[in-house]
């Protein structure tokens, strides 16, 4: 029964995209589209299985694992690359007896630490759920991302302090040239790692939850991701032109069964832009480092050219630190919203409540709580009051189906109360 | 200890605790700073009772004297409305709308109407800010890098304390559309951030100790001593303000407990660090070898041990871990009792997590035989879990 549905959607998907990779994405859409029809026929079990459910059924856990493995591979390569560069810098710094090079090596060490944190969080989020940790360990991703953002902030502060220290202990023109060279090297390393981390292949997406949530303004930082997406996206530049319109469409009306065409196209774009939050954190870290390297380079060049304008160094560092902090704001906001158990941005709770109340048997909905365990995995709990004569089982089915269909929230707990 | 006595004390004499300001120091119990006249519990939140409660506000029921009553029963509807409704009760305000002028005005209003601990914290923050500004200015003008680095360290600390203050103020908001569980989590978050910063600090102290060990320079910077002494004094004032929370392992009964504990540990760690610096320079003047390494290393280890329990506890809450004060055996016993009922076939899903310490949320999915009336079952389940202290429970009954 499922196979026919597969075929059907496949053809639909093929028509509307006309891109090279589309049947892979079509696959993703199909699988997700089928879940809603498949699950309710599983002998009337409406929730997902065993007692400590832990968010996994066979499909999602394997896709999760694949995606996690891909992200881990990327981060592992980045860590190794960083470590290699760091040892090179340390050796060179000790040989040349230069404090500046050693300081830069320390910054690379902090990069390694940030990647290690991201790697650990990625790995830990795959641990099995247990009765004490009934939702699994997905939150560790978020906490790890928080820790690495704190580190970014800390490092920005340290860099500003170093600029001030440099200002106070001025030791001549040698500083300018050395600063320039060292930061140029650091910039190259960071760019290499940014390319490594940001390089999304066309088939790298394992998210099945990505397709319905309009994360357009959520995770991805569209301002400067545009540069990098050009080099990475296998779908070319025309991608961006219909990106915005699709985001708007998706942000108004989440996944509906009718216009499957828009969904396919929107989903493909969604899948492309969504990254694991830890890889994103590492990417941000590297980006911040390269921005700051640019700042130090400019400062070094100016000091080299005109040694008496030392204050420029401090001003440059301050400006670029502020820029770096600005890039982290959006991710920090997402992290904070998840940790505060707030309603995810892409879910319109009012619409959900209204949609539920529109049903005949439903009198009222209260105690509605929608929250995310991590970006992309949403849970819902509410109390639904129904008419005394209505059939509780049928209403439960209807409600669960509606929520799953309209908002793609699969982990729901609905308490049916009679008036 | 006398924890249980004071606990019963609070629930039996609600009138005695009807104080307006924050009660930081009750005569019985100095460890648990429970604060207000929160004696509101409605018994188990059964569906029938819940039907009477609207999402945004409810009424206080009479507290009744059984062991399930605690001063921590706070359903999200009832918040400490300190006259903050007009301040914060903006209903469906848009997310993230902040203007600087509004922020400044709010800050002043909050400071005037805040609880005692908040006022103390703001005093502490202003002291710290003043001190670090002076230090920074002196360091810049006289060209002493040590002072500048110390000033930066203090500024980071001040930023964190300001975030704690902000968390204290914001957590009093009522739950609104976007934040359906309210803002109390912010306190746990600020405690976590504080703990994280302290861990970073301990790590950096270890690095400094290593640095001193490698470089082996023991220059006697006497201006740093002056700053260390002043720092110590300021932080000791802070420790005195929050002396109730000056313990390593604290039982957290409310959200604020974690926040206050983290602030106390912050000032405590800072004062230990200053004391360590003073001790190191004294040892150096006596002529002890490697004094700086020893003292810094000791301070680093101490701060780490101090902060770890708080870090683990706040991390556990943020990770949606099952509440630590409810043992697994109790939860299993409840599950067994539920499955022993005849209409229940099996328990499909049982998850519990803590929103803030003291407020547990649970969601259960039961499979029941079709045709049974679920109302007595729901009442039973609610009663069962209310005994454990689960305030917010959603039970889904699947009819097979």
């Amino acid at each position: 029964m499922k196979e026919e549905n597969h075929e059907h959607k496949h053809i639909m998907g093929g028509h509307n995209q006309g891109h090279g990779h589309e049947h892979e994405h079509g696959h993703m859409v199909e699988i997700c589209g089928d879940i809603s029809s498949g699950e309710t026929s599983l002998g009337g079990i409406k929730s997902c299985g065993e007692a400590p459910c832990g968010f996994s059924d066979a499909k999602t856990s394997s896709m999760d694992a694949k995606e996690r493995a891909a992200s881990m591979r990327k981060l592992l390569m980045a860590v190794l690359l960083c470590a290699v560069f760091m040892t090179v810098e340390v050796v060179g710094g000790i040989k040349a007896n230069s404090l500046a090079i050693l300081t830069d090596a320390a910054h690379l060490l902090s990069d390694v630490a940030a990647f290690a944190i991201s790697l650990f969080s990625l790995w830990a989020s795959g641990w099995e759920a247990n009765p004490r940790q009934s939702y699994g360990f997905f939150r560790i991703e978020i906490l790890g991302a928080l820790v690495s953002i704190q580190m970014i902030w800390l490092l920005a502060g340290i860099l500003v302090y170093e600029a001030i220290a440099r200002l106070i202990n001025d030791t001549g023109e040698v500083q300018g040239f050395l600063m320039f060279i060292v930061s140029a090297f650091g910039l190259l390393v960071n760019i290499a790692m940014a390319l490594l981390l940001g390089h999304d292949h066309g088939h790298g997406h394992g998210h099945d939850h990505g397709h319905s949530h309009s994360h357009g303004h959520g995770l991805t930082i569209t301002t400067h991701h545009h540069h990098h997406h050009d080099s990475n996206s296998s779908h070319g530049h025309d991608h961006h032109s219909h990106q915005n319109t699709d985001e708007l469409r998706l942000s108004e009306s989440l996944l509906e069964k009718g216009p499957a065409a828009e969904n396919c196209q929107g989903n493909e774009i969604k899948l492309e832009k969504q990254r694991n939050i830890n890889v994103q954190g590492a990417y941000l870290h590297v980006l911040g480092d390269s921005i700051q390297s640019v700042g130090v380079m400019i400062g070094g060049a100016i000091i080299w050219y005109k040694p008496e304008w030392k204050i420029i160094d401090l001003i440059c560092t301050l400006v670029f630190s502020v820029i770096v902090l600005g890039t982290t704001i959006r991710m920090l906001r997402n992290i904070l919203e998840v940790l505060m158990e707030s309603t995810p941005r892409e879910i319109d709770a009012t619409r959900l409540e209204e949609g539920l109340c529109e049903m005949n048997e439903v009198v009222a909905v209260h105690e509605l709580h929608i929250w995310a365990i991590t970006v992309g995995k949403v849970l819902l709990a509410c109390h639904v009051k129904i008419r005394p004569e209505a059939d509780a089982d049928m209403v439960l089915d209807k409600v669960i189906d509606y929520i799953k269909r309209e908002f793609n929230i699969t982990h729901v707990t609905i308490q049916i109360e009679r008036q | 200890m006398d924890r249980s006595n004071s606990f019963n004390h609070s629930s039996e004499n609600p009138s005695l605790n009807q104080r307006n300001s924050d009660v930081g120091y009750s005569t019985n119990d100095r460890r648990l700073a429970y604060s207000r006249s929160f004696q509101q519990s409605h018994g188990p939140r059964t569906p029938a009772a819940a039907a009477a409660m609207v999402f945004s506000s409810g009424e206080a029921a009479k507290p009744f004297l059984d062991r399930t009553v605690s001063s921590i029963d706070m359903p999200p509807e009832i918040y400490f409305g300190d006259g903050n409704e007009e301040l914060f009760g903006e209903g469906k305000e848009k997310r993230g709308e902040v203007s600087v002028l509004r922020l400044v005005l709010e800050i002043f209003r909050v400071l005037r109407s805040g609880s005692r601990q908040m006022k103390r914290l703001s005093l502490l923050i202003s002291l710290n800010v003043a001190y670090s500004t002076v230090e920074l200015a002196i360091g810049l003008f006289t060209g002493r890098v040590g002072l500048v680095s110390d000033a930066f360290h203090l500024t980071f600390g001040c930023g964190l304390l300001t975030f704690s203050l902000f968390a204290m103020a914001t957590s009093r908001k009522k739950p609104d559309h976007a934040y359906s569980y309210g803002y109390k989590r912010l306190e746990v978050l600020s405690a976590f951030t504080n703990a994280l910063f302290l861990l970073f600090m301990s790590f950096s102290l270890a690095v400094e100790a290593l640095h001193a060990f490698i470089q082996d320079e023991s220059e006697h910077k006497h201006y740093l001593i002056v700053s260390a002494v002043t720092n110590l004094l300021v932080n000791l004032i802070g420790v005195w303000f929050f002396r109730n929370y000056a313990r390593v392992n604290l039982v957290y009964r409310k959200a604020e407990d974690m926040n206050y504990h983290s602030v106390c540990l912050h000032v405590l760690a800072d004062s230990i660090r200053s004391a360590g610096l003073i001790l190191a320079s004294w040892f150096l003047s006596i002529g002890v070898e490697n004094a700086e390494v020893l003292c810094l290393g000791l301070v680093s280890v101490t701060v780490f041990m101090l902060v770890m329990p708080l870090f683990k506890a706040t991390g556990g809450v943020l990770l949606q871990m099952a509440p630590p004060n409810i043992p697994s055996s109790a939860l299993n016993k409840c599950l067994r009792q539920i499955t022993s009922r005849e209409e229940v076939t099996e328990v499909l899903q049982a998850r519990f997590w803590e929103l803030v310490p003291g407020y547990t949320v649970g969601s259960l999915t039961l499979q029941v035989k079709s045709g049974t009336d679920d109302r007595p079952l729901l009442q039973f389940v609610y009663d069962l879990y209310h005994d454990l202290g689960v305030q917010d429970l959603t039970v889904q009954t699947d009819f097979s």
Side-chain angles (χ1 to χ4, degrees):
Chain A
M1 168 227 354
K2 280 194 182 172
E3 298 313 306
E4 289 113 43
N5 287 345
H6 267 225
E7 300 309 311
H8 175 66
K9 290 248 169 92
H10 180 91
I11 294 168
M12 281 203 56
H15 262 306
N16 296 302
Q17 287 157 348
H19 294 260
H21 286 270
E22 104 281 346
H23 46 261
E24 287 188 301
H25 295 293
H27 246 301
M28 293 297 168
V29 176
E30 289 154 22
I31 291 175
C32 303
D34 278 342
I35 283 179
S36 53
S37 50
E39 260 195 15
T40 46
S41 64
L42 282 176
I45 296 179
K46 298 161 185 84
S47 52
C48 34
E50 327 79 49
C53 167
F55 268 95
S56 50
D57 25 348
K59 283 183 283 250
T60 51
S61 72
S62 73
M63 274 199 281
D64 267 352
K66 245 186 290 172
E67 167 217 327
R68 209 177 310 125
S71 305
M72 276 179 75
R73 230 177 306 127
K74 260 195 262 184
L75 275 180
L76 201 60
M77 284 199 285
V79 167
L80 289 176
L81 196 66
C82 228
V84 162
F85 277 127
M86 187 182 74
T87 40
V88 164
E89 271 202 356
V90 164
V91 164
I94 292 183
K95 277 226 169 110
N97 203 12
S98 153
L99 191 60
I101 299 183
L102 283 175
T103 321
D104 208 58
H107 286 161
L108 274 183
L109 179 66
S110 75
D111 267 1
V112 171
F115 290 157
I117 291 178
S118 298
L119 203 57
F120 172 73
S121 336
L122 258 183
W123 173 64
S125 66
W127 288 340
E128 285 280 315
N130 57 44
R132 288 314 287 191
Q133 198 74 30
S134 44
Y135 290 101
F137 289 88
F138 296 101
R139 267 294 165 87
I140 292 194
E141 277 184 1
I142 306 282
L143 281 186
L146 183 65
V147 169
S148 42
I149 287 199
Q150 304 275 41
M151 277 185 63
I152 295 180
W153 284 59
L154 196 68
L155 285 175
I158 290 181
L159 213 64
V160 170
Y161 158 68
E162 278 178 11
I164 296 183
R166 268 201 297 267
L167 189 66
I168 295 180
N169 306 334
D170 41 3
T171 45
E173 304 113 50
V174 178
Q175 284 288 0
F177 182 62
L178 199 57
M179 266 169 61
F180 186 81
I181 294 294
V182 169
S183 50
F185 179 66
L187 184 67
L188 284 172
V189 169
N190 279 319
I191 289 182
M193 279 192 297
L195 285 177
L196 183 70
L197 284 177
H199 193 66
D200 274 303
H201 299 276
H203 17 267
H205 332 294
H207 300 271
D208 69 328
H209 36 261
H211 70 287
S212 66
H213 309 294
S214 53
H215 270 290
H217 39 260
L219 262 191
T220 55
I221 301 165
T222 44
T223 47
H224 39 258
H225 273 198
H226 280 282
H227 323 306
H228 299 281
H229 267 294
D230 288 345
S231 52
N232 301 337
S233 129
S234 46
H235 297 269
H237 287 263
D238 51 333
H239 210 61
H240 295 287
S241 55
H242 38 116
Q243 215 176 33
N244 293 332
T245 50
D246 278 310
E247 273 178 33
L248 281 175
R249 246 183 290 158
L250 273 177
S251 60
E252 282 151 29
S253 65
L254 295 157
L255 195 66
E256 281 151 33
K257 251 200 178 141
E262 291 157 308
N263 288 340
C264 293
Q265 206 163 32
N267 290 341
E268 154 192 76
I269 295 169
K270 274 309 97 83
L271 288 170
E272 168 100 55
K273 285 171 65 166
Q274 249 216 350
R275 262 199 281 253
N276 185 285
I277 195 168
N278 286 112
V279 174
Q280 184 124 24
Y283 182 79
L284 262 187
H285 191 105
V286 164
L287 192 71
D289 264 1
S290 38
I291 292 180
Q292 274 168 347
S293 298
V294 168
V296 173
M297 262 174 68
I298 295 180
I302 294 181
I303 291 185
W304 179 26
Y305 177 59
K306 268 208 187 284
E308 52 277 10
W309 287 357
K310 291 206 174 50
I311 196 90
I312 294 285
D313 177 30
L314 180 60
I315 295 177
C316 266
T317 315
L318 277 174
V319 163
F320 283 94
S321 294
V322 168
I323 294 178
V324 166
L325 294 186
T327 63
T328 61
I329 292 278
R330 188 181 297 205
M331 188 156 136
L332 195 63
R333 195 186 58 184
N334 286 324
I335 290 177
L336 246 55
E337 281 174 4
V338 169
L339 286 177
M340 293 271 290
E341 321 288 337
S342 75
T343 312
R345 270 171 196 262
E346 61 267 12
I347 307 243
D348 189 355
T350 334
R351 203 170 72 90
L352 196 143
E353 225 177 300
E354 282 167 11
L356 283 181
C357 289
E358 267 169 15
M359 298 186 190
N360 304 344
E361 302 86 352
V362 172
V363 173
V365 171
H366 59 96
E367 300 269 341
L368 178 66
H369 293 296
I370 311 177
W371 52 281
I373 185 91
T374 176
V375 182
K377 300 198 205 285
V378 185
L379 297 111
L380 184 148
C382 72
H383 297 211
V384 174
K385 209 200 301 267
I386 61 176
R387 282 193 231 278
E389 65 273 7
D391 177 16
D393 196 25
M394 195 259 302
V395 177
L396 188 64
D397 267 340
K398 255 178 88 170
V399 166
I400 293 185
D401 183 63
Y402 171 73
I403 294 177
K404 205 174 296 196
R405 214 175 0 104
E406 292 283 318
F407 300 94
N408 200 48
I409 305 176
T410 43
H411 298 270
V412 297
T413 312
I414 315 273
Q415 178 167 315
I416 303 279
E417 299 164 8
R418 270 174 245 263
Q419 201 166 29
Chain B
M1 311 203 180
D2 53 344
R3 173 181 12 139
S4 50
N5 299 346
S6 55
F7 202 56
N8 290 332
H9 178 256
S10 81
S11 58
E12 282 156 34
N13 302 302
S15 51
L16 281 185
N17 288 13
Q18 300 273 349
R19 293 184 232 180
N20 236 352
S21 67
D22 192 10
V23 177
Y25 327 101
S26 82
T27 48
N28 293 348
D29 188 357
R30 301 170 54 95
R31 185 168 60 131
L32 301 171
Y34 53 87
S35 68
R36 322 175 177 106
S37 52
F38 250 146
Q39 318 293 338
Q40 301 153 8
S41 69
H42 321 244
R45 299 249 313 279
T46 59
M53 288 199 281
V54 189
F55 188 57
S56 53
S57 66
E59 282 118 22
K62 270 214 168 73
F64 48 89
L65 313 173
D66 57 275
R67 64 181 174 85
T68 65
V69 172
S70 63
S71 59
I72 56 177
D73 270 344
M74 352 175 245
E77 289 80 356
I78 299 179
Y79 273 75
F80 184 49
D82 197 17
N84 279 330
E85 284 88 2
E86 56 286 359
L87 186 68
F88 285 126
E90 292 151 64
K92 284 169 73 161
E93 79 267 9
K94 290 186 235 78
R95 226 193 275 247
E97 220 184 55
V98 165
S99 75
V100 181
L101 184 64
R102 228 182 59 161
L103 209 61
V104 172
L105 288 176
E106 266 184 30
I107 291 177
F108 279 123
R109 251 182 296 192
V110 154
L111 285 181
R112 243 190 310 127
S113 64
S115 67
R116 200 197 294 180
Q117 303 279 43
M118 275 175 61
K119 294 201 180 96
R120 288 187 174 158
L121 184 58
S122 40
L123 184 66
L124 193 64
I125 290 176
S126 35
L127 265 179
N128 261 322
V129 166
Y131 174 60
S132 77
T133 330
V134 165
E135 209 184 0
L136 186 67
I138 295 182
L140 281 178
F141 283 144
T142 57
R144 304 246 166 89
V145 182
L147 283 179
V148 173
S149 85
D150 203 41
F152 261 82
H153 182 265
L154 268 186
T155 314
F156 259 109
C158 281
L160 270 174
L161 290 179
T162 315
F163 181 58
S164 288
L165 186 63
F166 168 74
M168 279 185 218
T170 320
S171 72
R172 296 186 292 173
K173 270 195 198 189
K174 292 193 188 290
D176 60 24
H177 210 68
Y179 294 89
S180 54
Y181 282 111
Y183 290 84
K184 290 242 159 199
R185 257 290 169 99
L186 208 51
E187 307 224 35
V188 179
L189 202 57
S190 97
F192 180 75
T193 319
N194 260 325
L196 198 62
F197 172 72
L198 287 178
L199 284 180
F200 281 160
M201 188 173 97
S202 117
F203 180 67
S204 88
L205 281 175
V207 166
E208 247 184 79
L210 198 66
H211 188 85
F213 183 64
I214 293 178
Q215 286 208 312
D216 202 29
E217 48 176 82
S218 35
E219 25 175 298
H220 191 75
K221 307 183 187 131
H222 62 269
Y223 56 86
L224 277 185
I225 301 302
V226 173
S227 101
V229 169
T230 326
N231 205 6
L232 184 64
L233 287 175
V234 171
N235 283 314
L236 282 181
I237 295 179
V239 175
W240 174 252
F241 278 166
F242 288 90
R243 62 185 178 276
N244 265 12
Y245 294 91
R247 302 175 63 100
V248 179
N249 280 300
L250 193 53
V251 172
Y252 305 108
R253 304 244 155 193
K254 298 197 298 286
E256 298 96 79
D257 281 352
M258 278 189 167
N259 208 359
Y260 297 150
H261 190 209
S262 76
V263 169
C264 185
L265 282 186
H266 183 111
V267 285
L268 199 62
D270 257 351
S271 47
I272 290 180
R273 174 175 159 269
S274 310
L277 283 176
I278 296 175
L279 208 65
S281 61
W282 180 57
F283 278 165
L284 278 178
S285 61
I286 308 184
V288 178
E289 290 279 320
N290 284 335
E292 227 175 297
V293 179
L294 274 175
C295 287
L296 282 178
L298 208 64
V299 168
S300 158
V301 168
T302 316
V303 170
F304 185 82
M305 310 280 299
L306 219 55
V307 169
M308 244 325 166
L310 176 69
F311 184 71
K312 283 202 269 208
T314 49
V317 173
L318 289 177
L319 280 179
Q320 315 286 86
M321 210 158 71
N325 53 333
I326 303 181
S328 311
S329 52
L331 289 174
N332 287 336
K333 178 164 158 254
C334 286
L335 285 178
R336 276 200 303 273
Q337 281 185 286
I338 293 179
T339 40
S340 70
R341 280 182 72 105
E342 17 175 293
E343 57 262 33
V344 177
T345 328
E346 63 173 315
V347 176
L348 291 172
Q349 194 196 92
R351 295 178 175 161
F352 300 93
W353 51 282
E354 269 190 318
L355 177 68
V356 286
Y359 189 87
T360 315
V361 179
S363 78
L364 278 174
T365 310
L366 309 171
Q367 179 138 43
V368 295
K369 305 204 175 97
S370 47
T372 54
D373 184 12
D374 53 0
R375 259 168 299 202
L377 176 65
L378 278 181
Q379 182 80 28
F380 173 70
V381 172
Y382 265 85
D383 282 342
L384 199 61
Y385 280 105
H386 188 83
D387 280 352
L388 283 186
V390 179
Q391 279 92 348
D392 194 335
L393 190 61
T394 313
V395 180
Q396 174 172 316
T397 48
D398 289 346
F399 293 95
S400 56

